[in-house]
Amino acid sequence: MHKPRLQLQASFDIAWLQYLDQQGRATQALPEFASPDWLTHCYSQMQLARQVDDRAVKLQRTGRLGTYPSSLGQEAIGVAVGNALMPEDIYCPYYRETGAFLERGVLIEEILANWGGDERGQNYQHAPKDLPICIPIATQALHAAGVAFALKYRHQQQGIPQQVAVTTSGDGASSKGDFYEAMNLAGVWKLPLVFVVNNNQWAISVPRTAQTATQTIAQKAIAAGIPALQVDGNDVIAVAWAVRDAIARARAGEGPALIEALSYRLCDHTTADDAGRYRSEKELDEAWQREPVRRLDRYLRSEGLWSDARQQDLDRELAQVMETALNNWESRAPEPATAIFDHLYAQLPEGLYEQYDQLRDEQARGAQS
Amino acid sequence: MADEVNAITLVEAVTQALAYALENDPEVVLFGQDIGANGGVFRATDGLQKRFGPARVLDTPLAENMISGIAVGMATQGLRPIAEFQFMGFIYPGLDHILSHAARMRNRTRGRLSCPIVYRAPYGGGIHAPEHHSESTEAIFAHIPGLRVVVPSSPARAYGLLLAAIRDPDPVLFLEPKRIYRAAKQPVPDDGEALPLDRAFVLREGSDLTLIAWGASVKEALAAAELLSTEGVEAEVIDPATLKPLDIHSIIDSLEKTRRCVVVHEAARFGGLGAEITAQIQEYAFDLLEAPVQRVTGYDTVMPYYQLENVYLPGVERILSGARAALGYARGGQR
Ligand SMILES: Cc1ncc(C[n+]2csc(CCOP(=O)(O)OP(=O)(O)O)c2C)c(N)n1
């Protein structure tokens, strides 16, 4: 049979970045930003994220929160992403990002309010331009592209310093058109946009290998013509370096980038899920060997930056932070029922006055009886 | 004053309103497929990229979901994006972002973020277009809390309502009846004056019958009214213009006089807006009615290819039969 002679037209590589190995040993010289203060800050924020998640799951179990998606095992990604953003940048998150929310200044009580069924939980006091938690998979990637357009537009038309948008999603999200469409547009329009895929290996019960036949998720960026990097997502320094570098390039007008952060979901998908139905104990045990918090703890101790005494202080401090947040959350007066009409439109259309009055009167009658 | 102003078509009025908005509000950006050098397949954006530059009038890659999604992101940061879908039949890949995000961003952030977006699309049948180019599915969008659905029926209303939609702090689906894009000319002063949203327009006064129609069907409704007039029946013609939220009060006010009503629309009948209008009339004005509300609509079929599109579209004859059916009920409720 005839075999044509083919010529290589293009070739691509996917690089991998790690600073701390599984045992918490440095695999290469650390970047300048990884100062002792920075490292201990990240460490305590990862611990806090773990506590918030743990408490939220318990609150769900006792019926005080609705369904909750924990980020157990993925704290390094969230904290590194949130930390890499400047306050004026815009974060377009998905739902599994406790560490990033904390770094962005979202209050614990806001996180609890949101999953506790109170829509005021997305009215972030300290991140007023950030997008709220996005539930439909991958749609936030396109919102982020629109945000990045707005930021670039402002920079070009009004001379405002270049801000950057960062969006996060899971590995499952990378199967959706939104994800490809956002990368495609960001490439064509050179948008200041960083995509971070939190590859925790599972999309509910569907493993990464059943989600896509690609060898990496990072390589999906190649089709969009944008640079990509795969990083150890259990290594807060590696994630932070990659995101900082991508943000710096986006800020300098060099356009978008994709970062695939490899990690593992150590918890159920959400409190409504039972991961025991689809994955093995062995796989989970192995994943625990790679998890990010203990890895950083080991590194810090080996450098003399951490001790049992400091850990005890931190535990006390974080317990206090949690208690204050819980009190603030619980002592908040509930929203009046008529709030369902308050923010539907900027102004209530006349045609809705009747329904509004009906609800208000029903509530008043209920209060009397 | 008016005669110093050039008479323009509906599609030219759209262009004029877009140009006014771009000229006067630096937050306005326009994007869609082929809207730049080509000026849009209907020329609604003709000359705008040349005049305002490719940073504000942008051709996008071909992905409707992307078009509706990036508008959400832009709007949350304070821009006023105007997104064009080439045809309403291609809006469906973009439904997710319109329904799941644009319509509810204000609500879920308790007013912190909002989506002042205008999604524009040519809609409706009657131009001999291929499949998927002629639907009227406004009811899908009108059903969604948090959206506005606006349909102009004349050049002046296209200009005034589009400016209002652009200035509105909430998302608006602006459906342009392409069958009448160039059907008539009218002087439209380029004075930046918006027309009110959420308000119906009484296009013709009458005391015997209320005809409700929007978009291209207004043309046939007015023609039917003229014919009825020769028979001594004076029909009031109302164009709701904003289909959601609906100005039912103007309709009820009209029914106080006429007590009979025909709703006309191109869209399929089942679950169409005629059903909603009829239900509201029944709720609020049952006592006024001398006859059941008549619906003259498209059939509950797929919009046919163009050889049969005039069979599908409600024409003057069908409106007249609807009117006669409503008039055929004697006072007191009997035929
Ligand atoms: C469009 C859409 N389809 C389905 C769902 C239901 N759902 C919620 S999370 C999820 C899996 C997402 O997996 P992945 O993107 O890997 O993120 P992870 O939750 O693992 O962090 C699915 C299918 C959804 N939220 N949105």
Side-chain angles (χ1 to χ4, degrees):
Chain A
M1 219 178 68
H2 170 74
K3 273 204 183 145
R5 183 155 26 86
L6 301 174
Q7 288 174 1
L8 184 65
Q9 187 65 22
S11 65
F12 305 94
D13 305 305
I14 296 299
W16 151 264
L17 176 69
Q18 185 196 55
Y19 284 101
L20 296 183
D21 71 11
Q22 210 163 303
Q23 274 68 45
R25 290 178 305 228
T27 54
Q28 58 177 311
L30 300 195
E32 284 91 67
F33 67 78
S35 66
D37 279 354
W38 185 87
L39 288 166
T40 50
H41 167 79
C42 289
Y43 180 72
S44 63
Q45 286 292 82
M46 284 160 64
Q47 290 264 19
L48 179 60
R50 195 162 278 197
Q51 286 210 20
V52 171
D53 280 343
D54 183 60
R55 185 61 76 96
V57 170
K58 289 189 173 114
L59 288 167
Q60 191 280 333
R61 299 282 183 242
T62 54
R64 291 160 72 201
L65 284 195
T67 303
Y68 182 84
S70 168
S71 64
L72 182 66
Q74 299 152 74
E75 295 88 348
I77 302 171
V79 168
V81 168
N83 186 269
L85 282 154
M86 288 288 141
E88 63 274 17
D89 292 331
I90 307 293
Y91 184 43
C92 307
Y94 82 131
Y95 43 82
R96 195 185 305 286
E97 293 290 11
T98 314
F101 294 130
L102 295 174
E103 280 294 278
R104 279 309 273 170
V106 176
L107 302 177
I108 297 169
E109 48 265 47
E110 288 171 337
I111 297 175
L112 296 175
N114 181 58
W115 299 102
D118 178 347
E119 288 179 75
R120 291 173 300 181
Q122 305 233 49
N123 192 3
Y124 309 145
Q125 289 173 47
H126 300 298
K129 294 273 174 86
D130 281 3
L131 264 54
I133 288 171
C134 190
I135 299 290
I137 299 300
T139 52
Q140 75 277 7
L142 281 169
H143 305 160
V147 167
F149 174 87
L151 300 177
K152 182 174 176 175
Y153 180 86
R154 286 266 156 73
H155 170 64
Q156 289 181 340
Q157 305 273 317
Q158 295 158 19
I160 293 168
Q162 182 64 70
Q163 300 157 255
V164 172
V166 173
T167 184
T168 52
S169 60
D171 41 302
S174 78
S175 298
K176 261 196 78 178
D178 294 67
F179 180 80
Y180 291 101
E181 290 171 21
M183 282 200 303
N184 185 56
L185 183 76
V188 178
W189 285 3
K190 263 198 157 201
L191 297 177
L193 172 54
V194 179
F195 298 87
V196 180
V197 172
N198 179 334
N199 179 355
N200 64 15
Q201 312 302 329
W202 291 90
I204 311 188
S205 65
V206 179
R208 221 285 281 147
T209 48
Q211 193 68 239
T212 169
T214 59
Q215 203 180 331
T216 66
I217 286 171
Q219 76 203 59
K220 295 189 176 195
I222 291 165
I226 70 178
L229 183 63
Q230 196 182 53
V231 301
D232 186 333
N234 295 323
D235 170 1
V236 72
I237 307 168
V239 184
W241 187 89
V243 181
R244 280 165 171 251
D245 179 63
I247 286 180
R249 282 185 285 118
R251 218 184 286 291
E254 290 173 38
L258 170 68
I259 294 157
E260 174 188 4
L262 280 168
S263 182
Y264 194 88
R265 163 161 67 74
L266 296 171
C267 46
D268 294 330
H269 170 70
T270 63
T271 49
D273 175 51
D274 171 12
R277 291 170 62 87
Y278 52 80
R279 71 179 184 194
S280 72
E281 279 299 316
K282 182 165 167 286
E283 182 181 307
L284 186 60
D285 289 346
E286 283 168 12
W288 270 105
Q289 304 307 310
R290 299 188 296 269
E291 68 96 3
V293 174
R294 195 177 55 170
R295 184 182 299 203
L296 188 54
D297 175 87
R298 283 183 173 182
Y299 176 76
L300 291 175
R301 284 174 192 264
S302 72
E303 293 291 302
L305 296 170
W306 205 248
S307 63
D308 288 347
R310 284 198 71 173
Q311 185 67 46
Q312 278 161 18
D313 288 348
L314 180 65
D315 288 345
R316 259 195 305 277
E317 190 196 321
L318 297 186
Q320 187 57 49
V321 168
M322 272 312 301
E323 284 327 299
T324 308
L326 279 166
N327 281 334
N328 292 343
W329 171 56
E330 284 177 326
S331 58
R332 207 160 168 187
E335 248 192 329
T338 48
I340 65 174
F341 287 103
D342 287 348
H343 305 289
L344 197 54
Y345 299 90
Q347 258 199 321
L348 192 69
E350 257 177 55
L352 280 175
Y353 288 179
E354 189 186 317
Q355 290 182 29
Y356 180 94
D357 290 345
Q358 180 193 342
L359 175 61
R360 191 199 47 207
D361 295 348
E362 275 169 13
Q363 290 291 310
R365 272 199 302 280
Q368 276 158 22
S369 63
Chain B
M1 176 69 203
D3 46 17
E4 297 164 22
V5 176
N6 274 344
I8 56 174
T9 61
L10 197 156
V11 70
E12 287 165 344
V14 168
T15 318
Q16 185 170 297
L18 293 174
Y20 188 94
L22 282 160
E23 180 73 46
N24 290 281
D25 185 351
E27 309 292 10
V28 168
V29 291
L30 227 62
F31 53 95
Q33 294 158 12
D34 306 299
I35 72 158
N38 195 36
V41 293
F42 289 100
R43 306 284 175 266
T45 55
D46 200 18
L48 296 180
Q49 189 179 63
K50 215 172 201 171
R51 186 163 156 205
F52 297 101
R56 299 189 67 201
V57 180
L58 302 102
D59 280 321
T60 65
L62 208 167
E64 287 76 14
N65 180 55
M66 177 273 288
I67 289 173
S68 63
I70 60 172
V72 171
M74 291 177 184
T76 61
Q77 305 306 310
L79 294 190
R80 298 216 163 232
I82 305 176
E84 175 174 305
F85 295 98
Q86 212 154 58
F87 288 87
M88 191 194 197
F90 306 127
I91 219 170
Y92 309 120
L95 272 183
D96 188 12
H97 288 275
I98 302 175
L99 274 49
S100 306
H101 296 291
R104 50 203 289 168
M105 186 64 82
R106 177 186 296 284
N107 189 64
R108 63 201 264 247
T109 61
R110 283 303 180 249
R112 179 170 62 88
L113 299 175
S114 62
C115 286
I117 302 167
V118 178
Y119 292 112
R120 294 179 38 240
Y123 95 116
I127 65 154
H128 289 201
E131 196 185 0
H132 299 296
H133 286 68
S134 302
E135 355 276 302
S136 314
T137 48
E138 60 269 27
I140 294 175
F141 300 89
H143 182 64
I144 303 304
L147 278 186
R148 272 195 166 70
V149 181
V150 176
V151 181
S153 62
S154 72
R157 283 190 290 283
Y159 180 80
L161 291 172
L162 182 50
L163 282 177
I166 295 167
R167 290 168 196 166
D168 193 83
D170 293 308
V172 177
L173 180 70
F174 193 80
L175 297 173
E176 298 163 11
K178 58 183 179 289
R179 180 156 64 90
I180 56 165
Y181 255 160
R182 297 189 166 80
K185 286 194 176 191
Q186 181 183 22
V188 182
D190 193 11
D191 53 9
E193 286 287 325
L195 285 169
L197 299 177
D198 308 354
R199 286 275 173 277
F201 295 86
V202 178
L203 304 183
R204 183 184 194 281
E205 304 222 4
S207 52
D208 303 323
L209 176 74
T210 301
L211 279 177
I212 301 169
W214 52 90
S217 292
V218 164
K219 202 173 149 209
E220 284 78 36
L222 285 169
E226 290 310 314
L227 286 172
L228 286 168
S229 181
T230 63
E231 299 170 16
V233 174
E234 291 307 328
E236 183 139 303
V237 178
I238 296 188
D239 172 9
T242 303
L243 303 181
K244 168 76 174 288
L246 181 72
D247 173 12
I248 193 69
H249 298 295
S250 295
I251 294 171
I252 304 296
D253 285 351
S254 175
L255 275 166
E256 301 258 5
K257 288 192 293 185
T258 65
R259 300 176 169 252
R260 294 164 202 270
C261 182
V262 178
V263 189
V264 183
H265 60 64
E266 281 188 32
R269 174 173 306 204
F270 188 92
L273 285 171
E276 176 65 32
I277 292 170
T278 307
Q280 290 203 31
I281 291 173
Q282 189 274 138
E283 274 176 39
Y284 297 114
F286 182 71
D287 291 345
L288 295 177
L289 293 179
E290 297 285 354
V293 177
Q294 304 293 314
R295 286 186 285 164
V296 178
T297 69
Y299 297 103
D300 287 338
T301 66
V302 172
M303 176 72 180
Y305 284 16
Y306 67 79
Q307 294 231 353
L308 291 177
E309 71 182 342
N310 286 333
V311 171
Y312 176 93
L313 294 172
V316 176
E317 275 311 313
R318 274 165 64 195
I319 298 174
L320 285 175
S321 348
R324 293 199 174 106
L327 293 162
Y329 283 81
R331 293 206 179 242
Q334 279 141 29
R335 255 198 222 257

